[in-house]
Amino acid sequence: MTAAEHHIVPRQPPSSGSSGSSDSTGPTGAPGDGGGTPPQDRRRVIRRRLITLTIIVLLIGIPAGYLVISAGQSRRSGKDKEAEAAAQGLREDWPSGMQRRIFELPIPGNAVGVQYYETNNWKASRMYVKFRTTSAGLDRFLSGMGTGRAALETGVVTIGERDIKITGWYFGPGVDWAGTVHKNKDPRPTQNITVNMTDPAAPVVYVVSAATP
């Protein structure tokens, strides 16, 4: 074949799918991405820490605040009950059998003019009782408590100003007073007893029995 008869084949361009290309890109189109995650934004980290701190403060602060508020409400409630009792005055009746057992007040069966009321607060519960009895009834009352007439001190008033203010009882001069404090170990009540002995045959008994919860 002569040179004139030789057919020249044109050069073909490289295929688009050629594996020889060195300009590959990542899935996102960013060169050299490699699928990695960018570092967290600093503001996001700070915000997350602040949220965590706020939750901790709330978990600690709310229960503590509730306890403070509850204690304040309990104190106010106790004062309100005492004020209500003082406003109503002593009740002309016998305390219930349960009240007498709780406050250890063995009021004699022949007692007359029995008056009482009860107050309760977060510190203590108190039963105020007044009655008139006989000389023998007084002895039964005192012995039922675990004390006796010998414990009464002449001229002594054992009921304090706070309880006098609440009850309105009078313990001034011109009366033959005798008193004693009968103490018991908690949680049993302690009784402050004062007796009007002006008429020994018909003594008038005043008692404040206080029990600590």
Side-chain angles (χ1 to χ4, degrees):
M1 181 182 292
T2 63
E5 294 174 334
H6 183 73
H7 294 285
I8 300 175
V9 179
R11 186 177 181 179
Q12 298 296 322
S15 171
S16 60
S18 173
S19 59
S21 174
S22 61
D23 295 330
S24 61
T25 60
T28 59
D33 187 4
T37 302
Q40 282 189 319
D41 186 89
R42 181 173 178 79
R43 286 175 296 180
R44 182 179 300 174
V45 174
I46 294 173
R47 184 164 58 248
R48 184 174 298 172
R49 289 178 180 173
L50 286 175
I51 292 172
T52 302
L53 180 61
T54 301
I55 292 172
I56 293 172
V57 170
L58 290 175
L59 289 174
I60 297 173
I62 290 177
Y66 176 78
L67 290 176
V68 172
I69 293 171
S70 297
Q73 290 176 339
S74 178
R75 285 193 290 270
R76 288 193 297 271
S77 176
K79 291 179 180 179
D80 291 343
K81 287 180 180 179
E82 288 187 354
E84 181 182 353
Q88 292 175 350
L90 292 168
R91 185 185 223 172
E92 298 276 349
D93 200 354
W94 283 60
S96 69
M98 180 176 291
Q99 288 173 315
R100 280 176 273 160
R101 285 192 297 273
I102 291 172
F103 291 97
E104 299 186 21
L105 295 169
I107 303 172
N110 65 352
V112 296
V114 180
Q115 300 177 341
Y116 84 96
Y117 69 82
E118 179 184 356
T119 62
N120 300 281
N121 61 34
W122 66 290
K123 285 185 177 180
S125 297
R126 286 180 173 82
M127 175 67 73
Y128 299 84
V129 173
K130 174 186 175 183
F131 61 88
R132 183 185 293 273
T133 186
T134 62
S135 179
L138 175 61
D139 289 332
R140 289 197 301 273
F141 175 69
L142 294 172
S143 63
M145 281 187 170
T147 184
R149 192 184 289 256
L152 294 175
E153 298 182 53
T154 302
V156 173
V157 173
T158 59
I159 295 175
E161 290 297 326
R162 175 185 177 280
D163 296 321
I164 291 173
K165 185 177 180 180
I166 290 175
T167 59
W169 289 339
Y170 171 80
F171 296 107
V175 178
D176 294 335
W177 299 112
T180 186
V181 177
H182 182 242
K183 295 183 178 181
N184 289 305
K185 190 173 182 179
D186 289 340
R188 293 181 60 196
T190 292
Q191 296 96 359
N192 286 52
I193 307 163
T194 297
V195 185
N196 179 347
M197 297 294 294
T198 304
D199 182 357
V204 180
V205 180
Y206 301 80
V207 188
V208 179
S209 181
T212 303

